[in-house]
Amino acid sequence: MKAPFEKSYSDYQLQLTHQTGGDLEKKLRTALQAGQGPDIVVTPGPSYALQYVKAGMLENLTEWAEEISLKDRLVPWAYESGFYDGGLYSVPAEMETMLLFYNSDVFEKYGWGVPKNRNDLEAVASEAMSAGITPFAGGNQDWRAAVEWLMTSFWNSYAGPEALSKALRGEKPWTDAEFVEPVALLRDYFDKGWFQGSAKNYFATNGDDFRAEFGAGKAAMNIEGSWFLYSAEKFFDNPDGWDWTAMPPLSEAVQGDVYPLAVGSTFSVNAKSKIKNGAQSFIDWYFAEPGNGTKWNQALPAAIKPQVTAESELPSEMDERVRRLILDLVGEGSQATFGFATWTFWPPRTNTVIWEQLQRVLDGTVDPEDYMSVVAETFTQELDEGTVPKAFDPSK
């Protein structure tokens, strides 16, 4: 990244500082509050960037973005996500989505088709159980928040992006049936033993272990983020033994595939930076070409950028499964329907409630209705505080 950038912008030197250990977000906030910190501010997502915006720590990039026509390079939702109170303050650097991965060797052995709807999904799960195969691999022993991957998938595939967008804007209550019912459906799947055999097993299994079981054919499917694309080969002896599809619709309210969007990280410019032009130049360079700043020449690139990409710009050696996802998400003329990931579009405290309290739902301690009441109460507080990230219009 350093050499290619400096070759394009010889007036600047890119200094990369890697921080390890401790609370990195707290360290960054402390530095920015002191008028210091990096020129290019990197955050885990829009909700984090919003906190810095409200504190006056980030530069308004609107005029600069218009000068370089940044809007034309990015997919619409990505550009819109960085706005607050009419100004652009952050730009998504990479994107993620939730997918349904399946063991293609197991599917072929038992003659299962790729699920296209809820009936298909449940039929495969039931037949897998009868064959002694775990329907869905999973576990959150080493990352408790991983359980929200499931809630993200179920809300988007059951309630749908339109309903979620309205709720995120405060126009629809989270206690409506269309949000409560997918919680109950997820618990029903756990009660049937479809996820890792039981809730107890799920809570006691770490990421490497459940992925290894998936790769070994002990589990048929895995609901996980697109990041699994980059490590799947580690768990499969047969490199062609896995594939992905969008999570199928779980209710009649959803028609077709939905890709819940998450932002892996954002770029902003420190409002106190003495070389703002240099920081802006880096963002300009990063989005000048799809391969800039990524290991684009590998079969499995390090990240998917929210940048409009032509198929001809993708290297020939790229894995077909990755190529297909990139073109579905950001390819020229893409007609994909996008939804919302909890860790990107829900405010911080609500997001914590979602994954912490969901564990109590899945073990039978809390009812779905009570769970959503707590989610709704926390969300309303943060909506009043102005800390809810902007939800894009999924119809555009």
Side-chain angles (χ1 to χ4, degrees):
M1 185 182 294
K2 177 178 171 63
F5 167 72
E6 293 178 353
K7 182 178 181 180
S8 298
Y9 290 90
S10 57
D11 290 342
Y12 303 106
Q13 290 185 340
L14 182 64
Q15 181 178 345
L16 302 174
T17 303
H18 297 280
Q19 296 279 351
T20 59
D23 190 333
L24 298 183
E25 194 277 331
K26 183 177 180 180
K27 292 179 179 178
L28 176 60
R29 174 177 287 275
T30 300
L32 293 176
Q33 287 174 334
Q36 301 173 1
D39 300 295
I40 303 166
V41 179
V42 181
T43 80
S47 63
Y48 290 87
L50 181 55
Q51 299 176 56
Y52 299 138
V53 174
K54 291 173 69 66
M57 299 175 179
L58 302 182
E59 183 75 3
N60 188 329
L61 302 175
T62 308
E63 184 175 342
W64 163 79
E66 291 176 350
E67 290 176 358
I68 68 168
S69 300
L70 183 63
K71 182 177 181 180
D72 296 336
R73 305 186 208 174
L74 303 180
V75 290
W77 71 265
Y79 189 75
E80 293 175 17
S81 71
F83 275 84
Y84 174 75
D85 199 23
L88 178 68
Y89 291 90
S90 68
V91 182
E94 58 185 77
M95 60 187 291
E96 305 162 341
T97 190
M98 290 302 301
L99 299 170
L100 175 65
F101 293 92
Y102 60 94
N103 188 309
S104 51
D105 288 337
V106 171
F107 268 59
E108 182 178 354
K109 177 179 178 180
Y110 290 95
W112 300 330
V114 178
K116 299 298 182 184
N117 52 50
R118 177 175 165 181
N119 287 339
D120 290 349
L121 186 70
E122 295 181 350
V124 170
S126 295
E127 292 182 29
M129 286 289 284
S130 297
I133 298 171
T134 301
F136 299 97
N140 72 339
Q141 187 272 332
D142 54 344
W143 178 247
R144 290 303 181 191
V147 72
E148 72 178 313
W149 305 344
L150 305 180
M151 204 62 262
T152 285
S153 296
F154 274 61
W155 269 332
N156 280 273
S157 294
Y158 193 104
E162 291 285 350
L164 288 171
S165 180
K166 290 180 180 179
L168 288 168
R169 294 196 299 268
E171 300 170 2
K172 192 178 210 30
W174 289 109
T175 50
D176 276 4
E178 59 198 316
F179 304 124
V180 177
E181 289 170 358
V183 180
L185 180 63
L186 179 59
R187 185 164 84 172
D188 179 58
Y189 283 13
F190 266 83
D191 289 345
K192 291 176 177 177
W194 287 0
F195 280 91
Q196 205 60 29
S198 68
K200 182 179 180 180
N201 289 344
Y202 179 92
F203 298 145
T205 304
N206 66 43
D208 279 351
D209 286 348
F210 81 70
R211 294 179 184 108
E213 292 182 20
F214 177 47
K218 296 179 181 179
M221 296 173 284
N222 172 26
I223 300 175
E224 190 170 354
S226 50
W227 53 82
F228 182 67
L229 289 164
Y230 318 130
S231 62
E233 61 182 357
K234 172 183 175 182
F235 302 99
F236 282 79
D237 291 334
N238 175 12
D240 298 321
W242 63 273
D243 209 332
W244 66 268
T245 185
M247 185 73 178
L250 298 176
S251 77
E252 295 182 356
V254 177
Q255 301 295 319
D257 297 341
V258 175
Y259 293 102
L261 291 176
V263 173
S265 60
T266 67
F267 289 144
S268 296
V269 174
N270 188 338
K272 299 296 185 180
S273 171
K274 297 179 180 179
I275 49 170
K276 294 176 183 176
N277 288 342
Q280 292 170 344
S281 294
F282 173 80
I283 300 175
D284 185 9
W285 170 81
Y286 185 83
F287 289 108
E289 299 290 343
N292 286 0
T294 68
K295 296 180 180 179
W296 207 241
N297 61 335
Q298 296 184 354
L300 299 173
I304 297 176
K305 294 163 63 174
Q307 181 172 2
V308 178
T309 304
E311 184 169 9
S312 60
E313 294 177 294
L314 301 179
S316 59
E317 61 268 35
M318 181 175 286
D319 188 291
E320 182 276 331
R321 292 162 292 193
V322 178
R323 175 187 297 271
R324 176 159 40 99
L325 181 60
I326 291 175
L327 294 178
D328 274 6
L329 296 179
V330 299
E332 289 182 329
S334 170
Q335 298 297 313
T337 299
F338 295 127
F340 305 88
T342 52
W343 59 95
T344 291
F345 291 98
W346 275 251
R349 295 201 306 276
T350 305
N351 182 224
T352 299
V353 166
I354 286 172
W355 65 262
E356 280 190 344
Q357 296 302 311
L358 183 59
Q359 297 179 103
R360 302 182 65 203
V361 174
L362 300 180
D363 69 12
T365 304
V366 174
D367 290 333
E369 294 81 2
D370 294 336
Y371 168 71
M372 289 310 301
S373 292
V374 176
V375 169
E377 181 181 356
T378 309
F379 180 85
T380 299
Q381 293 172 357
E382 292 188 286
L383 184 66
D384 292 342
E385 294 167 4
T387 57
V388 179
K390 181 181 179 181
F392 59 86
D393 184 349
S395 66
K396 294 183 179 179

